Amino acid sequence: MFTKTIFLPIMELALFCGLGGAPTFLVPIINPPFADNSPHLPSLLSMAMIEKKKLNARYERIYTQLEDLLQNTGNLVSRMATVAALLHHKMPHFFWTGFYLLDKGELIVGPYQGPLACQVLEKNSGVCWAGILRHSTIVVPDVHEFPGHIACDSRSNSEIVIPLLGKNDQPWAVLDVDSHKRDAFSEIDKQWLEKIVRLIPPQE
Ligand code: SME
């Protein structure tokens, strides 16, 4: 009775919807990961190489464009706004891109692109302050693992902070970039962003 009235119609519906294939646990056995029609290890490696090359080429174009654009004015706000806008709109893995500036011992938000950010960062806490205190770039593959991380937007998952160094290598601001992806920032991002911030000299 049960078989006829309930079970058979369910099976018919499943077959009609295309669910009549192999049980889920058999799928990896029937279609192993590197079957003939899927990319194998060498091609995955060359895909990664192509992605690296594409990222480098994109940073190269951005850098050249910024070198030109930043000649137009020495105004700090304008320069920072230009850097943030160009990076943010050219880099798909950037979710928030902007600057925090030291002002009377506090880190205050400067020009940025992306969702609304914290205006003042709690002193000596989080990734931006770590960049200021350590005088060096901080790459955080998973912000949820970083002690004291300040979450201005819960969608951020990884972050890179580059301090801007002035006289005697003293930091006076940071470039902060957040990504919605985990582990989004590589050595390539680090090297290019460090080069890009050197295009912004501190105000006299
Ligand atoms: N996450 C930063 C705060 C700034 S926002 O990411 C825009 C930090 O921990 O310092």
Side-chain angles (χ1 to χ4, degrees):
M1 174 67 179
F2 172 82
T3 316
K4 263 192 169 170
T5 55
I6 300 178
F7 185 66
L8 283 179
I10 291 174
M11 283 300 287
E12 273 168 19
L13 184 66
L15 285 169
F16 177 74
C17 296
L19 302 174
T24 329
F25 69 88
L26 281 180
V27 171
I29 301 169
I30 296 166
N31 296 313
F34 299 119
D36 280 347
N37 59 352
S38 60
H40 47 80
L41 201 53
S43 50
L44 284 179
L45 285 176
S46 50
M47 275 159 68
M49 297 276 286
I50 292 168
E51 287 309 308
K52 263 181 147 187
K53 264 188 134 176
K54 273 163 78 176
L55 185 63
N56 257 314
R58 187 170 291 195
Y59 269 119
E60 183 110 48
R61 287 195 298 275
I62 291 173
Y63 187 82
T64 311
Q65 202 176 345
L66 282 174
E67 270 184 319
D68 265 359
L69 289 167
L70 299 188
Q71 296 297 320
N72 293 333
T73 168
N75 179 278
L76 182 62
V77 173
S78 165
R79 284 178 159 180
M80 286 182 157
T82 305
V83 170
L86 196 60
L87 282 172
H88 192 77
H89 292 281
K90 297 280 179 190
M91 287 297 180
H93 58 307
F94 288 17
F95 169 72
W96 191 93
T97 315
F99 293 88
Y100 278 90
L101 292 100
L102 272 179
D103 183 3
K104 301 184 192 87
E106 290 192 307
L107 268 181
I108 310 286
V109 79
Y112 70 90
Q113 297 268 324
L116 187 66
C118 317
Q119 289 169 283
V120 184
L121 298 180
E122 188 191 328
K123 207 161 184 174
N124 298 343
S125 178
V127 191
C128 293
W129 269 106
I132 293 282
L133 297 171
R134 296 184 206 168
H135 295 204
S136 66
T137 298
I138 315 277
V139 180
V140 184
D142 181 351
V143 293
H144 310 287
E145 303 278 315
F146 192 92
H149 166 254
I150 300 167
C152 299
D153 190 300
S154 59
R155 289 168 291 178
S156 288
N157 281 311
S158 58
E159 183 163 0
I160 184 167
V161 164
I162 300 100
L164 279 68
L165 304 176
K167 280 185 197 139
N168 306 321
D169 279 348
Q170 283 307 305
W172 57 279
V174 294
L175 170 63
D176 178 16
V177 185
D178 287 14
S179 180
H180 51 291
K181 285 171 59 182
R182 274 176 211 259
D183 201 8
F185 303 106
S186 65
E187 190 58 30
I188 298 177
D189 296 282
K190 177 180 179 288
Q191 284 180 7
W192 276 106
L193 294 174
E194 285 175 350
K195 193 168 166 180
I196 287 170
V197 298
R198 288 199 289 272
L199 291 172
I200 306 176
Q203 293 292 86
E204 288 304 316

